[in-house]
Amino acid sequence: ARRYPTREWNLHSFDIGRPLGKGKFGRVYMVRTKSEPKYILALKTLYKSEIVQSRVEKQIRREIEIQQNLRHPNVLRLYGYFHDEKRIFLMLEFAGKGELYKQLSKHGSFSEKRSARYIDQMADALSYLHSKHVIHRDIKPENLLLGINGELKVADFGWSVHAPGNRRKTMCGTLDYLPPEMVEQKEHNERVDHWALGVLTYEFLIGNPPFEDRDSVNNTYRRIASVDLRFPITCRPTLEISLPGYLLKHEPQDRLPLSEVMKHPWIVKYRPKGQ
Ligand SMILES: Cn1ncc2ncnc(NCCc3cnc(NC(=O)Nc4cccc(C(F)(F)F)c4)s3)c21
């Protein structure tokens, strides 16, 4: 496609709005371009001093290089970046309806329809990422954003931690999403994202991740390694509950392929007409 001349961006190109979140290496602000057409963006600022100290330059370069080449409606866009003497700025797509985990905490769990639509979009985004040889590795509600029309946007807040507040109790919330092969420190492939999709489906429908044990980290490990999957008696063994069972398989190659997830009767049932 014709490449438009990339304009030289700098901090003066923007009016700075409210902070959207705080990372370990800086903040993310809602900003608007000063010149027409007025774009709203999320500007992620990273301090070079902090990056150098923590030797994460490679990780930042990787983030920029990977995300800049990704173009998918359910993957958060990185439009570009620039820097001044002290900071690096990433120009991220602004997700108009904010962080999905805040909705999940507010509602407790999601309806079948809402869960199925999110999982459909997640499977689509993941199969796109895998086609670009990108394994996400950190799928969890905290890494998901919502566009202005409620569409799901996969992001990777990576090392950045959320502004203190209604963050999940255990700082190692990520433990809940680890697959057996990572708990057992074996090598892993893109199938780790299939497992996480199963955990996400369960958490959307039930309100907590399947192997969670609030008291003991070791017990969560044990439950993951033994795939100790239980469904509350309250939920009917219907269609929607069957999907996690096909994704939460100990052996990576036994997990349902993403193309099959998108054909699963429960997903198809709730897909908006004409899609
Ligand atoms: C809170 N909040 N509310 C609205 C809103 N709109 C935008 N941003 C927000 N907060 C900033 C969130 C991020 C911080 N750092 C990121 N960085 C990243 O997403 N990097 C990335 C690298 C490689 C691959 C991938 C991907 F996509 F494939 F997963 C992603 S995203 C917003």
Side-chain angles (χ1 to χ4, degrees):
R2 206 166 73 85
R3 291 194 64 79
Y4 294 94
T6 47
R7 297 170 31 181
E8 285 311 302
W9 294 97
N10 62 57
L11 207 46
H12 304 296
S13 319
F14 304 99
D15 291 318
I16 309 293
R18 67 180 172 88
L20 287 170
K22 211 162 66 62
K24 215 185 288 172
F25 296 98
R27 280 178 174 272
V28 183
Y29 293 92
M30 182 174 180
V31 302
R32 186 184 60 191
T33 54
K34 282 178 179 162
S35 58
E36 294 294 338
K38 296 223 192 281
Y39 290 123
I40 301 266
L41 298 167
L43 193 66
K44 177 174 179 177
T45 64
L46 300 158
Y47 285 91
K48 288 181 180 176
S49 56
E50 302 230 345
I51 291 169
V52 171
Q53 270 156 24
S54 326
R55 289 193 303 286
V56 290
E57 302 101 293
K58 278 196 300 304
Q59 210 169 328
I60 307 267
R61 268 186 236 290
R62 187 178 167 280
E63 168 174 357
I64 292 174
E65 187 228 315
I66 291 175
Q67 204 182 354
Q68 207 162 24
N69 299 315
L70 299 175
R71 299 255 195 300
H72 186 280
N74 300 118
V75 174
L76 196 75
R77 270 300 296 283
L78 171 66
Y79 296 115
Y81 62 97
F82 56 91
H83 62 94
D84 62 15
E85 65 287 347
K86 285 185 305 188
R87 293 162 291 186
I88 297 175
F89 300 93
L90 304 189
M91 297 157 56
L92 292 165
E93 172 183 5
F94 173 66
K97 281 218 169 72
E99 300 180 271
L100 179 139
Y101 89 92
K102 287 187 177 165
Q103 302 269 335
L104 188 56
S105 328
K106 192 171 92 182
H107 292 93
S109 63
F110 292 143
S111 69
E112 282 189 32
K113 177 172 163 186
R114 193 165 162 165
S115 303
R117 291 196 171 179
Y118 285 156
I119 297 304
D120 192 18
Q121 294 172 77
M122 272 305 297
D124 198 351
L126 286 176
S127 70
Y128 172 76
L129 290 177
H130 293 174
S131 74
K132 297 276 178 184
H133 310 295
V134 174
I135 307 177
H136 191 284
R137 283 192 190 82
D138 199 10
I139 296 297
K140 56 185 177 182
E142 287 83 350
N143 267 338
L144 306 178
L145 293 165
L146 294 169
I148 196 65
N149 302 316
E151 72 277 23
L152 192 122
K153 301 276 177 185
V154 176
D156 184 355
F157 296 31
W159 50 86
S160 61
V161 293
H162 285 280
N166 48 0
R167 221 185 110 49
R168 209 188 281 264
K169 311 289 169 283
T170 55
M171 278 312 284
C172 56
T174 44
L175 193 70
D176 289 313
Y177 280 75
L178 285 183
E181 60 270 26
M182 287 178 89
V183 161
E184 294 151 7
Q185 267 121 32
K186 291 181 189 151
E187 96 278 353
H188 59 269
N189 59 20
E190 87 288 339
R191 293 279 162 138
V192 301
D193 289 341
H194 294 230
W195 173 276
L197 188 62
V199 177
L200 197 68
T201 309
Y202 185 103
E203 180 163 6
F204 282 169
L205 288 166
I206 312 276
N208 55 275
F211 309 110
E212 182 181 55
D213 182 319
R214 289 175 191 274
D215 310 321
S216 137
V217 161
N218 284 332
N219 206 26
T220 302
Y221 275 114
R222 266 193 292 276
R223 295 196 59 204
I224 291 171
S226 61
V227 192
D228 173 21
L229 182 61
R230 303 178 208 163
F231 294 103
I233 38 167
T234 45
C235 47
R236 311 167 306 290
T238 51
L239 224 44
E240 77 268 14
I241 297 291
S242 72
L243 188 56
Y246 290 113
L247 291 163
L248 297 172
K249 295 283 189 193
H250 188 279
E251 293 314 306
Q253 65 279 3
D254 294 343
R255 294 169 198 161
L256 203 61
L258 296 170
S259 51
E260 291 303 308
V261 171
M262 293 163 74
K263 285 183 222 153
H264 189 284
W266 177 60
I267 294 287
V268 172
K269 176 177 163 187
Y270 289 109
R271 181 170 291 139
K273 302 294 157 267
Q275 270 189 10

